[in-house]
Amino acid sequence: MSYTIEAVLNSAEKSDLREFISELEASDKRYLLRNDILNAFHKFCQQKDDPQFESSSRLGKLIYYTQEIILDEESICLIIRPKIAQQEAYRIFDDLTVEPISIPQLLDIRDRFVGRHHPEEGDVFEIDFQPFYDYSPIIRDSKNIGKGLQYLNRFLSSKLFQDPNQWLEALYNFLHIHRYNGVTLLINGRIANRHQLSDRVKQALNFVGELPSDKPFEEFHFDLQNLGFEPGWGNTAGRVRETLEILDELIDSPDDRVLEAFLSRIPMIFRIVLVSIHGWFAQEGVLGRPDTGGQVVYVLDQARSLEKQLKEDITLAGLDSFKVKPKVIILSRLIPNNDGTRCNERLEKVHGTDNAWILRVPFREFNPNMTQNWISRFEIYPYLETYAIDAEKELFAEFQSSPDLIVGNYSDGNLVAFLLARRLKVTQFNVAHALEKSKYLFSNLYWQDLESTYHFSLQFTADIIAMNAANCIVSSTYQEIVGRPDSVGQYESYENLTMPDLYHVVNGIELFSPKFNVVPPGVNENVYFPYTRHEDRVPNKIEKLEELLFTAEDPEFIYGKLENPNRRPLFSMARLDRIKNLTGLAECFGQSPELQERCNLILVAGKIHTSGSTDNEEREEIEKMYRIIERYDLYSKIRWLGIRLPKVDSGEIYRVIADRQGIFVQPALFEAFGLTILEAMISGLPTFGTQFGGPLEIIQDTVNGYYINPTNLKETAQKLLDFISKCDRDPSYWQQISDKGMERVYSTYTWKIHTSRLLSLARIYGFWNFTSSEKREDLLRYIESLFYLIYKPRAKALLEEHWQR
């Protein structure tokens, strides 16, 4: 039994528990999530004479750890999370006896709650990945989740130490396979086996040790070749010596530090595919459209930074003179009806790069009414298998070889990454950006009611397939994986779940696997930089954007006329959808006369006319925004811009707001990471970010920004007013927070840091993939079974629906 329940039952608070259960049973709600539970307990505690009971009682501690309560006919079920990445479930009966509930039993209870439990028809299909992770080391302490690289390094180096012959053989074979366009790299046939490798390394060290450190590799290339060493060890004698010394140490006395240092120098990544499928992927005219926005910015910036880092690595490896050139391809979808974008072009070069490209592959023309047009990310799944087959041919045509690394993005891109990696036998990385399951409460439980709109059965199955198939999962934050002490992480929510009448997931992901790594994205420093860097700003652009933000009139894309444009601007920029919650910010502003007296609200948000949107959720938010503006009479205090900005303009807009000592507010109901927060902070804007999601790991509250609870409008308004009042009393305070925000981004969130880390991961996991490929085969076969027996029939059924449109 949970010690938190036992502590209550063995104390005088046993009667309080009975009383609280009675109050819950008397209410209308039968399924309570954490916020519901806390609110109900707060109301219960208000009836007590003891003001400390809520925070200091044993029952209060039990309630704090309780994530869900299900009121069943004969009992109450508590799902308790005593620590991060651990869950327990118990049934409490009327007489306060307690019995534990297994995961299969808990999933049956959830099915019964929605009337979908049919024991007379037999058991539902169970998905359990637990047995397939026996090939992998498992992290013990939850605080090390997300640090898979260093854990895997320790594991691999210990294997080298414990069984040197086997692992030296693996290392020798790994060094022997590397080629680039037919050019042998690292070692050749003159080193015939693992026994010779150690001896030849020492001979090579003696040779290069006598050369000047700055002697170019080309001048002693043939001498090393005679010893069995090909290009790739370094561009100078000094660099070659350093690399061989690391290998020598790794052979003689391996440890995790040495292994990472060595593999990080190995030239094994030249061709990278970044998969971002679901559409409107271009460099102009796409931001703010449904399904794009932050993901497009992230992938484009990542591609530029990866190419730059690869070129640096190739130079240091001494491969410039061998015509080795990196190539990065962003794989997306070609949309024939391109709506004025470049999304109908097969190939588009990424601005600011030498050899990074957007490669667009069309969906096969099953139904031209669908496949000629943009398709929502919720509807895209029937086309992904054939897309992966076609994309494989297109990628080979571009690379003239297989890629070295495939990085998926979002649910659809990650599934395509799996299909490609499986066929090509290359390393697969996943990036989720956001998992829809966390955005839509009870989305798995009520999937049948939501299926016609969201098709969660396909999306959640695709997530389970891709996250288990991936060699490495790259997350932006720790809490994206396993949440916080008081909240469940996005990946953790897949640990067990029910899709009633479809399947039960008993163990959907191993959270303690070393595949998880926290590698936050950076911010494009060429576009987003401090407002104080006047030498890099363009006066004409500043004037135009000031006019656009504060005074211009155009009913096509501007709503609102400021009665006093000189008030301090509250600024936000995001898609106009429910999760981004810009309507919530407008409501917060509308409910606070004091905020209206002291500030203007400036929103850059997609569109201002429902006729211009094809997205149902966006249209609903547009209509809601108009209702809020009318209800609170905000027309003269708000500027709502429905525009798509070129990237350079989006960077300058933050700085224009900062010129006026404005404030950036990110009010999302949930934000997986928060790229706009980085953009605002590096520009110098004091930033208020949602406390639900990634911003909690970017912002340090009251140090370099502020947390807000966007569901508590009164509290949010008061936090903004408190900051403004501090700035009025002390004019330097705005600057202090501004400076601290910029410092935070430069120290932690640059693309240089991100891509260096990502490529280190690619090399380590590439080596791990090479040495454990046979042990993963049973896992991959199980994944394929889910794909062909569950995913594919449902995708086919959706395709048949599309034929009718």
Side-chain angles (χ1 to χ4, degrees), residues 8-43:
V8 174
L9 295 178
N10 292 335
S11 73
E13 293 177 23
K14 184 175 182 177
S15 59
D16 294 305
L17 173 60
R18 190 190 304 274
E19 188 180 341
F20 180 55
I21 290 174
S22 296
E23 288 202 8
L24 291 178
E25 290 174 335
S27 70
D28 295 333
K29 284 201 168 185
R30 316 312 291 165
Y31 201 132
L32 290 82
L33 298 180
R34 192 166 189 278
N35 279 347
D36 303 320
I37 297 165
L38 293 177
N39 289 336
F41 188 63
H42 176 71
K43 184 179 177 182

Side-chain angles (χ1 to χ4, degrees), residues 150-164:
Q150 62 191 66
Y151 192 86
L152 190 57
N153 278 336
R154 286 199 294 270
F155 173 77
L156 292 173
S157 60
S158 70
K159 289 289 186 182
L160 277 166
F161 187 81
Q162 292 166 11
D163 192 351

Side-chain angles (χ1 to χ4, degrees), residues 13 38 41-42 44-46 48 50-65:
E13 293 177 23
L38 293 177
F41 188 63
H42 176 71
F44 172 77
C45 292
Q46 284 181 324
K48 293 191 157 294
D50 182 1
Q52 301 300 315
F53 186 83
E54 184 172 2
S55 58
S56 60
S57 64
R58 293 177 177 86
L59 181 56
K61 187 174 183 180
L62 170 62
I63 295 302
Y64 176 82
Y65 288 118

Side-chain angles (χ1 to χ4, degrees), residues 172 175 184-191 196-208 217 220-234 240 243-245 247-248 251 262 322:
Y172 166 79
L175 293 176
T184 300
L185 304 178
L186 298 175
I187 63 175
N188 59 38
R190 290 185 175 91
I191 300 176
Q196 278 191 335
L197 181 61
S198 179
D199 291 339
R200 291 293 175 86
V201 168
K202 294 183 188 321
Q203 290 178 43
L205 276 171
N206 289 332
F207 169 71
V208 295
F217 174 77
F220 57 90
H221 168 205
F222 294 111
D223 297 297
L224 276 184
Q225 194 175 53
N226 289 331
L227 290 172
F229 295 94
E230 295 291 346
W233 297 97
V240 171
T243 308
L244 289 172
E245 283 173 346
L247 176 56
D248 189 46
I251 293 170
F262 176 68
F322 295 88

Side-chain angles (χ1 to χ4, degrees), residues 144-182:
N144 292 322
I145 291 173
K147 301 176 182 176
L149 176 68
Q150 62 191 66
Y151 192 86
L152 190 57
N153 278 336
R154 286 199 294 270
F155 173 77
L156 292 173
S157 60
S158 70
K159 289 289 186 182
L160 277 166
F161 187 81
Q162 292 166 11
D163 192 351
N165 289 334
Q166 178 186 344
W167 282 88
L168 190 55
E169 181 73 25
L171 184 61
Y172 166 79
N173 290 333
F174 183 68
L175 293 176
H176 209 277
I177 63 171
H178 293 293
R179 305 279 188 282
Y180 179 85
N181 288 354

